[in-house]
Amino acid sequence: MNSKSTPFIAFLFFFSLFSAAQATKRVYHTKFTQEKITIDGKLDEAAWETVEATSDFVMASPSNGVLEDPNRKSLVKVLYTNEAIYIGALLLDDEPNSILKELSIRDDFATADHFGVILNGFNDGQQDFRFFVSSAGVQIDCIYTLTNDEDFTWNAIWDSDVKITDKGWVAEMRIPYAALRFPKTDKQTWGLNFYREVKKIRYKYTWNLVDNTIGTESNQAGILEGIENIQTPTRLFFIPYSSVYLNNNHSTSANGELKGGMDIKYGINDAFTLDAILIPDFGQTKFDNVVLNLGPFEQTFNENRPFFTEGTELFSKGNLFYSRRIGGTPSLTENIGPDEVVDERPANVNLYNALKISGRTDFGLGVGFLNAVTSPMYSDIRNTITGVKRQELAEPLANYNLLVLDQRFNKNSSVSFINTNVLRNGSYRDANVSALIFDLNTTKNTYKLSGDYKYSVISVENNQKLTGYNTSLNLAETSGNYRFSAGGQYISTFFDCNDLGVNFTTHFHSVYANGSYRILNQTKKINTFSIFFNNYAEFDNRTGRIQAQNHGFNVNIVDRKNDYYGFGVRGKPLLTYDFYEARTEFDTRYLQLPRSISGYAYISTNYNRKFAIDFNPSFAQTDEKNRFVYYVQIAPRYRFSNQFSLVLDYSFNHLNNDVGYVGQDDAINAIFMGRRKINTHTLSLTGKFSINHNMTFNLISRYYWSHARYNNYYELLDDGGLFNVTETIGLNADRNFNTWNCDLNFSWWFAPGSQLNVLYRNKAFLQEFQNFNESVSANFGRVLNAQNLDHIFSISVRYFIDYNSLKKKK
């Protein structure tokens, strides 16, 4: 070992071990049963009488640490078998008729009471499996980690039922061991907590106190003991699917398509799982909220494909994995000859297959591996004179790999190694990125030291390699009323993780310092109050110029009626230099940005009421004449019943005298900018009608209209200033952009893990340049014109098959 690194490693070690022992944890002893337990919300089996009930929940918020009201006492029991763990909860309420119980889709807490169980099979204080059920019977589940908080994209297969009684309500759960991770030992010791929310008063309780003076939750769980010598069954599951699609639009006749494939989940052991998809079908995933993008960077989207969202908490370490790179848009540009045009270019790259392996050893080492293979894609090119058609490669065959090694220790700290690798067939771009990251917390979770070092190697044409690095260091106090954080980052010019990740800005170093204050218990007038102060500055490595800055504060308040309020102010008191808007190779030119001040406010009324509303105005004013921004959003919602609700959301954004790139002339080394007015309207309507907690109709619709009008054109000067251009031939950059999406969906979970999904989708996209109508009615009418709409009707069935059930039948 390098002797120079020894003091640093010793410092990290002692930092992570510093401070006194944690508070005493509550312990619950469960018992084994061989009796068959029916999940019906009744708790009438004899086995429930053999185990003790635990109670005495304490409030998590708004008055942290206060014992639960005796009129709303919570009594919980736990049993286990060789296949699953069972939880039964009697949740008393002296006003059972007032229990809120809105029906909703899965993973939506909605306006209802909730009970939850939080399990950590390794009892390492860093990753929880959380299972909730509402008083309406709706299931919610997630994985919690220190780095990612709660991830509700994870969906396990488990069973639950509830009953409203004259004493309150009852929740009963069966959670198979296949939904959990734990070591292979004869005697299990798990982290355990229970959660209850009384929605009508918005009080939240836990069984083991979660002290809100401490910034973390998972290491404040209690202990579950008593699970011994379990003989877990083989964890092998098949989820075959079949889908049929019917497509139609004005220009083509209706055509159908039949698809089929399978997901496979295999438990290598009780701690490691392999997931694979064969011939995937993502045709029913939620549509992307596309916007008019006039900036230098691509628009990024949320991941909606289940395989890339479920159980991926390990793969998010280091922020090097953006799963939409897999199966994204083709990366190559066609070589077009004289008189040739591209008739058709694939919108997305097809995925052959993908698999992931993830789990954690008994010694706390997490291992994650993901592999995906995408097919080569071709563009259709046609000669307009001869009519000859040919194909050209738009994306080569590619192999994507991600490896994560994450060592946890001290029940709140970790050190991780990450490697991403993209290999493309032929002499095309390849990429390799590695990272070492650490997250160290004192034993009482009062202070945190975190940081990383990332290194990228990009292989381009002629075997040339571009290397770069990205490193950061952060220190924070994470407990108490007053908290702070400070740190810095350095990114070199050629750091590039964009083949499997996202990083748009480079060649800078930055520093930040933040502080905050919050109340920890409610007062006579408010439930919560917090104020945050933020200071950030970013400097170009080569010139020392400021390329980003932000100084401000924001306030957040929840009153005793559970209405939310807040406001914030930000300032940029110095000139800023944008090295990216000019879009030059290696970002050598920059655009000077003016000083500015901005502010926002928001009001969100209590969703417990049938009618509630969100209102969010904001503004930004620069020291340039007539250059400003204002924005307003208003979103009323109405709950007609526990089954039916609607939310209308409208926003308007206006940029006045904004400046942006319009083009360049390489022959005279000129870059042109334009001064523009941009108006953007976004209108969405969402609704749901639930027949029961397994059958729901859902509506999601969105109309987006944005148009940009340019009133002046300029040549960019070397000092970042602008020189007025009188000759504007070829510089007309006006743009009119309309999109419409509407999904009407029926979802039926007809068995655990098995789903029927019926979807009707219509969509339209219109884009115009130069001369266009700015009338709202004209644009909205055209985008909904039958000639512009694409219609898709699809039915998909997924069926969950447990290998053990097949074995029993055999």
Side-chain angles (χ1 to χ4, degrees):
M1 179 184 295
N2 189 328
S3 61
K4 293 182 179 180
S5 65
T6 303
F8 178 68
I9 295 173
F11 168 72
L12 297 184
F13 177 77
F14 286 111
F15 183 93
S16 67
L17 295 180
F18 173 73
S19 85
Q22 297 184 54
T24 303
K25 294 176 176 286
R26 297 185 68 181
V27 179
Y28 182 85
H29 295 270
T30 183
K31 289 187 177 180
F32 179 82
T33 181
Q34 291 183 329
E35 182 179 359
K36 177 178 173 57
I37 297 178
T38 302
I39 304 301
D40 53 13
K42 296 180 180 179
L43 307 182
D44 54 1
E45 290 86 359
W48 289 114
E49 301 301 323
T50 66
V51 65
E52 293 291 328
T54 187
S55 60
D56 297 329
F57 281 38
V58 290
M59 192 181 295
S61 68
S63 289
N64 191 239
V66 176
L67 281 173
E68 63 183 344
D69 186 336
N71 293 320
R72 287 190 288 267
K73 198 175 184 65
S74 307
L75 301 162
V76 186
K77 296 182 177 182
V78 181
L79 292 167
Y80 76 97
T81 66
N82 278 323
E83 290 80 30
I85 184 171
Y86 293 80
I87 297 95
L90 174 59
L91 306 162
L92 302 180
D93 194 310
D94 58 346
E95 297 178 337
N97 293 330
S98 68
I99 295 173
L100 296 175
K101 47 184 183 295
E102 182 187 9
L103 288 161
S104 66
I105 61 173
R106 180 170 179 158
D107 288 335
D108 184 353
F109 282 90
T111 306
D113 280 22
H114 295 91
F115 170 78
V117 58
I118 298 170
L119 298 168
N120 184 327
F122 288 93
N123 192 29
D124 62 5
Q126 299 198 52
Q127 177 175 286
D128 297 333
F129 293 84
R130 300 185 174 186
F131 304 86
F132 307 91
V133 64
S134 78
S135 50
V138 177
Q139 288 187 349
I140 304 106
D141 48 15
C142 70
I143 291 179
Y144 172 91
T145 59
L146 292 175
T147 53
N148 296 333
D149 203 71
E150 291 181 317
D151 177 11
F152 288 97
T153 61
W154 176 78
N155 286 320
I157 297 169
W158 51 291
D159 200 6
S160 63
D161 203 358
V162 301
K163 287 286 185 292
I164 304 293
T165 71
D166 58 356
K167 295 181 179 179
W169 64 291
V170 179
E172 189 172 20
M173 299 178 177
R174 178 187 184 272
I175 302 172
Y177 296 131
L180 305 169
R181 301 292 180 270
F182 49 88
K184 188 173 181 61
T185 59
D186 292 337
K187 185 176 181 179
Q188 300 284 332
T189 302
W190 293 2
L192 171 71
N193 216 340
F194 301 113
Y195 169 89
R196 180 183 181 183
E197 180 178 12
V198 182
K199 195 70 172 184
K200 58 190 172 187
I201 53 178
R202 295 211 171 189
Y203 282 9
K204 299 177 181 179
Y205 299 90
T206 57
W207 172 66
N208 199 83
L209 172 65
V210 176
D211 185 350
N212 66 2
T213 65
I214 300 172
T216 58
E217 297 178 12
S218 56
N219 47 22
Q220 299 190 64
I223 301 296
L224 175 64
E225 294 181 342
I227 299 179
E228 298 179 0
N229 302 312
I230 51 175
Q231 304 297 317
T232 56
T234 302
R235 292 193 295 125
L236 177 58
F237 310 114
F238 305 96
I239 309 176
Y241 73 86
S242 180
S243 304
V244 59
Y245 293 85
L246 184 64
N247 304 278
N248 186 38
N249 57 39
H250 178 74
S251 59
T252 60
S253 58
N255 61 88
E257 184 178 11
L258 181 65
K259 295 183 179 181
M262 181 181 293
D263 293 359
I264 299 174
K265 296 179 180 289
Y266 174 62
I268 300 171
N269 55 34
D270 292 328
F272 282 83
T273 300
L274 181 148
D275 294 85
I277 50 174
L278 308 175
I279 319 176
D281 173 26
F282 301 124
Q284 289 194 336
T285 55
K286 182 181 178 297
F287 58 80
D288 293 322
N289 292 333
V290 179
V291 301
L292 173 61
N293 184 8
L294 299 176
F297 308 125
E298 66 179 294
Q299 183 185 358
T300 58
F301 300 102
N302 293 330
E303 179 58 85
N304 298 313
R305 299 171 295 179
F307 177 84
F308 293 107
T309 62
E310 296 177 354
T312 57
E313 68 284 347
L314 263 180
F315 303 114
S316 63
K317 289 278 186 179
N319 295 318
L320 291 176
F321 180 47
Y322 174 50
S323 57
R324 292 293 293 263
R325 294 289 185 216
I326 302 173
T329 56
S331 60
L332 303 183
T333 302
E334 296 87 354
N335 293 314
I336 306 300
D339 304 318
E340 285 189 329
V341 294
V342 177
D343 272 348
E344 186 175 0
R345 175 179 171 83
N348 298 99
V349 177
N350 292 333
L351 181 64
Y352 277 144
N353 54 61
L355 66 85
K356 59 189 177 188
I357 299 173
S358 61
R360 195 166 293 275
T361 70
D362 296 352
F363 303 103
L365 177 63
V367 180
F369 174 72
L370 183 145
N371 173 263
V373 179
T374 57
S375 66
M377 304 296 292
Y378 295 87
S379 295
D380 294 330
I381 299 174
R382 176 175 53 87
N383 188 297
T384 57
I385 304 298
T386 65
V388 174
K389 296 182 180 180
R390 66 182 180 88
Q391 286 191 324
E392 184 166 323
L393 190 67
E395 180 69 25
L397 175 75
N399 188 294
Y400 297 83
N401 295 282
L402 173 61
L403 172 68
V404 180
L405 302 175
D406 175 51
Q407 179 62 59
R408 293 175 179 168
F409 55 93
N410 205 33
K411 294 194 173 183
N412 63 3
S413 301
S414 64
V415 175
S416 308
F417 171 79
I418 305 101
N419 177 262
T420 68
N421 182 273
V422 179
L423 297 174
R424 295 180 173 89
N425 188 41
S427 57
Y428 297 100
R429 172 184 169 114
D430 296 329
N432 189 285
V433 182
S434 297
L436 181 66
I437 65 175
F438 61 89
D439 190 326
L440 310 175
N441 294 269
T442 56
T443 306
K444 280 191 173 181
N445 292 290
T446 51
Y447 293 94
K448 172 190 282 192
L449 180 70
S450 60
D452 56 43
Y453 180 84
K454 304 170 184 176
Y455 185 75
S456 65
V457 180
I458 308 299
S459 300
V460 291
E461 295 180 357
N462 301 320
N463 294 320
Q464 183 182 2
K465 294 185 184 297
L466 300 176
T467 62
Y469 63 94
N470 176 355
T471 185
S472 67
L473 185 65
N474 313 279
L475 176 66
E477 181 183 10
T478 56
S479 64
N481 299 81
Y482 297 91
R483 304 181 189 185
F484 78 89
S485 61
Q489 183 178 18
Y490 186 97
I491 303 183
S492 68
T493 299
F494 296 115
F495 176 77
D496 189 348
C497 64
N498 289 299
D499 290 79
L500 198 48
V502 173
N503 185 76
F504 296 138
T505 58
T506 58
H507 56 75
F508 73 83
H509 57 280
S510 64
V511 292
Y512 76 89
N514 303 326
S516 64
Y517 170 81
R518 77 225 44 224
I519 64 171
L520 301 177
N521 286 291
Q522 67 183 164
T523 67
K524 291 183 179 180
K525 294 185 178 181
I526 58 176
N527 283 337
T528 67
F529 171 86
S530 60
I531 182 169
F532 297 84
F533 297 91
N534 310 289
N535 292 279
Y536 176 83
E538 185 177 298
F539 304 89
D540 177 59
N541 293 337
R542 303 158 301 183
T543 65
R545 295 181 181 273
I546 297 177
Q547 68 176 35
Q549 59 177 316
N550 179 35
H551 310 280
F553 71 92
N554 59 280
V555 174
N556 304 285
I557 302 168
V558 181
D559 65 20
R560 292 299 294 263
K561 294 181 180 180
N562 288 301
D563 294 319
Y564 290 67
Y565 309 89
F567 63 91
V569 176
R570 300 186 183 94
K572 298 180 180 180
L574 302 174
L575 292 176
T576 306
Y577 300 87
D578 185 341
F579 285 83
Y580 309 100
E581 185 64 30
R583 308 179 199 194
T584 56
E585 188 177 15
F586 307 131
D587 304 325
T588 54
R589 301 284 297 275
Y590 53 82
L591 172 68
Q592 183 176 289
L593 301 179
R595 304 170 184 87
S596 67
I597 186 170
S598 61
Y600 73 92
Y602 70 86
I603 299 173
S604 180
T605 62
N606 189 347
Y607 289 0
N608 284 1
R609 304 180 189 122
K610 283 185 175 292
F611 176 78
I613 192 167
D614 295 313
F615 178 61
N616 305 287
S618 65
F619 78 94
Q621 178 66 55
T622 74
D623 62 355
E624 270 187 23
K625 184 179 180 180
N626 292 328
R627 184 170 180 177
F628 58 85
V629 179
Y630 63 82
Y631 169 87
V632 63
Q633 179 199 26
I634 185 168
R637 60 179 62 223
Y638 193 81
R639 190 174 70 255
F640 296 87
S641 68
N642 285 330
Q643 294 175 286
F644 178 45
S645 65
L646 290 173
V647 180
L648 183 69
D649 191 331
Y650 171 74
S651 66
F652 175 72
N653 191 46
H654 174 76
L655 283 77
N656 201 70
N657 277 338
D658 181 57
V659 175
Y661 174 90
V662 295
Q664 61 189 62
D665 187 338
D666 294 333
I668 59 174
N669 194 30
I671 297 172
F672 300 105
M673 298 285 170
R675 193 173 294 277
R676 60 206 180 189
K677 178 185 71 175
I678 305 174
N679 287 332
T680 302
H681 303 260
T682 307
L683 177 67
S684 66
L685 177 67
T686 59
K688 62 89 181 171
F689 179 80
S690 299
I691 300 173
N692 55 46
H693 64 270
N694 289 319
M695 302 173 67
T696 307
F697 288 92
N698 299 288
L699 171 69
I700 305 175
S701 61
R702 175 181 181 263
Y703 172 59
Y704 174 90
W705 173 38
S706 185
H707 57 94
R709 286 285 192 190
Y710 288 77
N711 50 52
N712 286 100
Y713 294 95
Y714 306 89
E715 183 177 341
L716 181 66
L717 301 177
D718 290 338
D719 64 357
L722 301 173
F723 177 76
N724 192 55
V725 176
T726 56
E727 180 60 61
T728 61
I729 296 175
L731 290 181
N732 196 327
D734 292 352
R735 188 89 66 90
N736 190 38
F737 186 90
N738 284 270
T739 65
W740 163 261
N741 294 92
C742 181
D743 283 4
L744 179 61
N745 165 263
F746 170 71
S747 174
W748 176 25
W749 292 91
F750 57 88
S754 302
Q755 183 183 26
L756 169 69
N757 213 50
V758 181
L759 173 68
Y760 168 68
R761 170 175 290 171
N762 65 47
K763 60 181 181 176
F765 168 76
L766 296 174
Q767 184 169 218
E768 298 172 292
F769 301 90
Q770 300 183 18
N771 299 319
F772 53 82
N773 193 327
E774 295 185 24
S775 163
V776 174
S777 59
N779 280 272
F780 189 61
R782 283 192 311 112
V783 80
L784 290 182
N785 189 296
Q787 294 185 356
N788 298 318
L789 286 171
D790 292 324
H791 305 270
I792 303 172
F793 178 78
S794 61
I795 301 174
S796 179
V797 179
R798 296 169 59 88
Y799 190 73
F800 174 77
I801 302 172
D802 186 343
Y803 164 78
N804 297 288
S805 63
L806 296 178
K807 189 167 62 172
K808 288 178 182 178
K809 290 180 181 179
K810 182 178 179 181

